[in-house]
């Protein structure tokens, strides 16, 4: 690895390779930049803005912004925490998130970010939108109440499964995930083993008949905040 | 010196949060050394007898009576805490929030599979508090000072928060005690 460059994150100098995004370079150095629509192995989408950092003073999404020599980056600051908290709170109030009975609870990235950021309750007014549940597929269900429009299923189905089962339709407040079929999910060629199903960070795309299999206390984010593994992996 | 007073209530909740408070086990003895209970289902005092240091609110607001009780708590308590998911975000009762009120009434009193209502009348006694259009989290009705989510919040969460507040310390609960389920 000859050709590296130095970038600075929160005052710490780290090495980045050409072509790496800021998020990837930071992660390789054991620095966690919070993210939600980003998923390793998928083309970055840059849509949720949870990964926003200041690059030489300008807000940029770390999952899409390439590292450039000498870049000075702010990540773990009060100002950015406030911004990220607001995004997470807005995602909660614009859907219908009943964590107390959600099968994804404890393993959900949206919920885990709220925990990590210390959000005891979202403060924006709840919108209580009317959304559909599609349980027509024998092994998978879509609960639009919990969809945060991260496009992870869209990208995974297109790029990893080579199927295009999911797409977005409509715009703004009406935007939603639709399936590539006349009617419902059951009419598509989606398989429960498709990468698209596992890509969903929340309880919007769920495998049937496996809910609540892991007891409280043993789930991904019961004890350690999301992102803890990144710093821990680097220390080893 | 008189002990500080704590009041509690269950609005649109299931009493699970009160159960969790009892779940502090023998620490309840310490709690009654630290505080006196005022208006609360714990001692069945129905009206405030004076100023309270802390009010614990279980449940959100689903009807006009909930709103009146909540406003009364705000008036009498220095610190108001939303306890549990129903108080902090509406909780299970808020599942009705994207269904028109009329449909809710019809399902509950006319069309539901287990309904026996030969007269086909929806209860309308003036004594009954009117339902609100939606179920509201408490902070959308009055100012709330602290939030302890959970369904219910663990006994340790309630205990740690109460002890911190009663000893004038900041409420800094560990990661494991603030959860939404
Ligand atoms: S998807 Fe996540 S945030 Fe939404 S209800 Fe389920 S656990 Fe909670
Ligand atoms: S269904 Fe899941 S993966 Fe797909 S856009 Fe919604 S939240 Fe993202
Ligand atoms: S993770 Fe970068 S914008 Fe969503």
């Amino acid at each position: 690895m000859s050709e590296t460059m130095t970038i600075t994150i929160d005052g710490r100098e780290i090495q980045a390779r050409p072509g790496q995004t800021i998020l990837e370079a930071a992660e390789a150095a054991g620095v966690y930049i919070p993210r939600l629509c980003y998923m390793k192995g998928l083309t970055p989408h840059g849509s949720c803005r949870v990964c926003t950092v200041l690059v030489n003073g300008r807000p940029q999404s770390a999952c899409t912004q390439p590292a450039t020599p000498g870049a000075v980056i702010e990540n773990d600051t009060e100002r950015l925490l406030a911004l990220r908290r607001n995004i997470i709170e807005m995602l909660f109030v614009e859907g219908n998130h009943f964590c107390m009975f959600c099968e994804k609870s404890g393993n959900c990235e949206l919920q885990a970010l709220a925990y990590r950021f210390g959000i005891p309750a979202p403060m924006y007014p709840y919108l209580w939108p009317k959304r559909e549940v599609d349980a027509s597929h024998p092994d998978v269900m879509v609960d639009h109440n919990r969809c945060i429009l991260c496009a992870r299923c869209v990208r995974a189905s297109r790029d990893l499964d080579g199927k295009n089962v999911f797409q977005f339709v409509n715009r703004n407040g009406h935007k939603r995930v639709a399936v590539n079929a006349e009617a419902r999910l059951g009419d598509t060629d989606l398989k429960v083993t498709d990468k698209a199903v596992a890509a969903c960070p929340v309880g919007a795309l769920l495998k049937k008949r496996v809910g609540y299999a892991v007891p409280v206390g043993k789930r991904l984010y019961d004890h350690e905040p999301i992102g803890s593994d990144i710093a821990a992996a680097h220390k080893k | 010196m008189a002990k500080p007073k704590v009041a509690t209530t269950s609005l649109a909740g299931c009493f699970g949060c009160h159960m969790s408070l009892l779940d502090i086990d023998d620490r309840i003895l310490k709690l009654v050394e630290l505080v006196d209970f005022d208006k609360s289902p714990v001692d069945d005092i129905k009206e405030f007898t004076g100023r309270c240091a802390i009010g614990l609110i279980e449940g959100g607001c689903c009807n006009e009576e909930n709103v009146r009780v909540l406003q009364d708590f705000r008036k009498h308590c220095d610190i108001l805490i939303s306890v549990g998911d129903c108080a902090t975000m509406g909780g299970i009762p808020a599942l009705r929030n994207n269904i028109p009120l009329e449909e809710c009434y019809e399902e509950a009193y006319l069309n539901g599979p287990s309904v026996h209502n030969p007269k086909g009348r929806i209860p309308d006694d003036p004594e009954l508090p009117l339902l609100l259009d939606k179920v509201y989290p408490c902070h959308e009705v009055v100012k709330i000072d602290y939030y302890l989510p959970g369904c219910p919040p663990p006994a340790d969460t309630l205990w740690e928060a109460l002890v911190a507040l009663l000893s004038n310390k900041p409420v800094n609960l560990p990661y494991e005690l603030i959860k939404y389920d």
Side-chain angles (χ1 to χ4, degrees), chain A residues 92 97-99 102 104-105 108 110-111 146 202-203:
Chain A
F92 267 91
H97 293 273
F98 291 89
C99 294
C102 178
K104 193 77 172 186
S105 193
C108 168
L110 174 66
Q111 186 192 58
R146 302 171 184 146
V202 294

Side-chain angles (χ1 to χ4, degrees), chain A residues 92 96-101 105 111 114-115 119-123 125-126 128-130 219 221-225, chain B residues 85-86 88-92 94-95 97-99 134-135 137 139-140 147-149 151 175-176 178-181:
Chain A
F92 267 91
N96 296 308
H97 293 273
F98 291 89
C99 294
M100 68 293 284
F101 62 77
S105 193
Q111 186 192 58
Y115 292 165
I119 299 172
M123 285 298 110
Y126 282 85
W128 309 118
K130 189 149 180 56
R219 303 168 306 178
Y221 308 117
D222 281 339
H223 302 289
E224 296 287 339
Chain B
D85 290 343
C86 296
T88 63
M89 55 75 68
I92 299 289
L95 279 169
N97 280 6
N98 44 38
I99 302 167
K134 285 184 172 63
V135 178
H139 65 267
E140 290 188 12
Y147 301 83
L148 301 174
C151 190
Y175 176 81
E176 275 151 310
I178 295 288
K179 292 286 157 62
Y180 302 165
D181 59 7

